[in-house]
Amino acid sequence: KENKMQHIINSAQTCLDCKKPKCQTGCPVGTPIAEMIRLFLSGDIKEAGQKVFDNNPLSIICSLVCPHEKHCEGHCVLNKKHTPVNVGGIENYISTYYMNYRAFEKPEQNGRNIAIIGSGPAGISLAMMMALKGYNMTMYEANDKIGGVLRYGIPDFRLDRTILDTIEEKLKKIGVKIRKNIMIGKNITLDDMFRDDFDAVFIGTGVWRPKKLGIKGESLGNVHFAIDYLKTPKAYDLGEKVIVVGAGNVAMDVARTAIRNGAHEVSIMYRKGEEDMPAERIEIEHAKIDGVKFNLFKSPLEFSETGIKYENTKEDDNSIAFEEADSILIAISQTARDLIVKNNTGLSLGENGLLESDENGVTARKGVFASGDVVTGARTVVEAVAFSKRVAKSIEEYIDTLPPKNKVS
């Protein structure tokens, strides 16, 4: 740990403390990075932690799972000649310290009730922001643990689950009530919530419905959807040879998870070349280092219990061949479930299957707001936080138009 701390200090000391920090403008949530590092190096770690937390209540998680090379670190001026500042490592050290140090207490209540459906990054960040302002928050989660995609969609080797347990403990301390194992939409509807004196309802249910290829063999017992597999990898026996169809970040996560759970040979099958893969470059590099193989310019035609019949997609080669596999994992993106929209009036899904709202999270139904992946499709955690910050403002503006209520302590 001392070595790690020294490494963090050494990296922080390379920061040039730019007058107009490009790292901050490169961050979707505008983290005050130069100021954070300045405070950290001058011994004001608590103030540095508070500044970062006030800007982003999920900084402890974003510092671990963000694509830093695309955002903050990718914009660092040191990239031109040297190694960029290790912003993620520094921010995580500060955020972890701050979360352990700060006494989270329930503030005075303002008498307004807000329901949050879904406890992923969008829901957690909104709950934290609004509860600290005195709103009475109730969060609903379909599973038995909070976190959404953070818990069930990001492998544990990338994100330690105990961080989510710490966040849950902090949410409870500031008064957030969490109702688990309940799927909102059919049994409990939005009408029920408004009847029960909620002033606003927020939907942040993520994207949990995997997209299908629609080819023969997709219902077989050795074929699985990646997003389902990531929830509980240990519940699956994939065998020795596994093929992952798709080449986004989820495909890389699934391939690396399969290797860690006993598969001997894992390959990615993709219809284009490596430069066209939607996954971040660093995710592809990590997959290669973990031993994942890449089967490029191949498009699946049919699945069977022994493998995949595929077509070669390189120019001048549309030949058909077969690749053996014990298991096949489909990772070609996912979309939103339509349970809430189908069973509640006033909401609509766009042609892309996602919940429709404006850029500030306002939906077609009065008093109902949404953000995160359920609106944008699968994006990064920090983008969900940035969206939820805009929604927090929208909800406050909406509640200000409602008739006053008596304040309760």
Side-chain angles (χ1 to χ4, degrees), residues 179-359:
R179 187 170 169 180
K180 298 174 181 174
N181 291 319
I182 181 158
M183 185 85 79
I184 299 294
K186 206 166 185 177
N187 253 6
I188 298 274
T189 64
L190 300 184
D191 286 342
D192 294 332
M193 290 178 160
F194 285 115
R195 175 202 67 200
D196 293 341
D197 210 24
F198 282 101
D199 297 290
V201 176
F202 170 79
I203 302 170
T205 46
V207 284
W208 291 101
R209 196 171 79 192
K211 287 189 178 172
K212 296 196 307 182
L213 278 163
I215 63 176
K216 190 177 178 191
E218 212 160 5
S219 69
L220 295 174
N222 63 323
V223 180
H224 311 285
F225 291 111
I227 198 75
D228 297 334
Y229 172 71
L230 280 176
K231 281 184 198 168
T232 50
K234 294 203 171 0
Y236 292 75
D237 179 10
L238 298 180
E240 294 194 357
K241 188 172 181 187
V242 176
I243 296 177
V244 179
V245 177
N249 290 336
V250 171
M252 303 304 148
D253 280 346
V254 160
R256 297 175 69 202
T257 302
I259 282 176
R260 281 165 173 74
N261 283 276
H264 290 191
E265 189 184 325
V266 178
S267 62
I268 297 264
M269 183 176 279
Y270 185 54
R271 60 197 164 80
K272 295 180 183 176
E274 188 173 320
E275 64 284 353
D276 293 312
M277 285 185 185
E280 302 289 342
R281 299 308 312 163
I282 197 161
E283 299 296 333
I284 296 167
E285 291 308 314
H286 286 172
K288 283 180 179 175
I289 285 166
D290 277 350
V292 176
K293 302 285 182 275
F294 288 81
N295 243 330
L296 304 177
F297 297 105
K298 294 175 179 177
S299 181
L301 296 171
E302 186 181 324
F303 300 140
S304 75
E305 290 184 347
T306 54
I308 302 179
K309 181 180 171 186
Y310 66 87
E311 180 180 24
N312 284 296
T313 57
K314 263 190 176 167
E315 279 181 41
D316 307 324
D317 180 12
N318 54 1
S319 61
I320 290 170
F322 185 82
E323 180 86 24
E324 285 186 7
D326 296 313
S327 292
I328 299 154
L329 290 160
I330 302 168
I332 57 155
S333 181
Q334 58 271 359
T335 188
R337 294 190 186 115
D338 56 4
L339 186 70
I340 293 175
V341 173
K342 267 189 178 168
N343 296 288
N344 294 270
T345 56
L347 297 174
S348 57
L349 292 177
E351 285 180 14
N352 54 9
L354 300 168
L355 184 59
E356 289 192 319
S357 86
D358 71 8
E359 69 277 9

Side-chain angles (χ1 to χ4, degrees), residues 10 13 37 40 55 64 115 118 132 150 156 158 163 170 191 202 234 238 240 254 306 317 361-362:
N10 291 347
Q13 287 170 338
I37 292 173
F40 171 66
N55 176 68
L64 291 171
L132 287 168
L150 301 172
D156 54 10
R158 283 183 57 205
I163 296 170
K170 306 298 184 193
D191 286 342
F202 170 79
K234 294 203 171 0
L238 298 180
E240 294 194 357
V254 160
T306 54
D317 180 12
V362 179

Side-chain angles (χ1 to χ4, degrees), residues 149 206-207 250 333-335 354 372-380 383:
V149 70
V207 284
V250 171
S333 181
Q334 58 271 359
T335 188
L354 300 168
D373 290 356
V374 71
V375 175
T376 60
R379 297 275 179 89
T380 59
E383 286 171 301

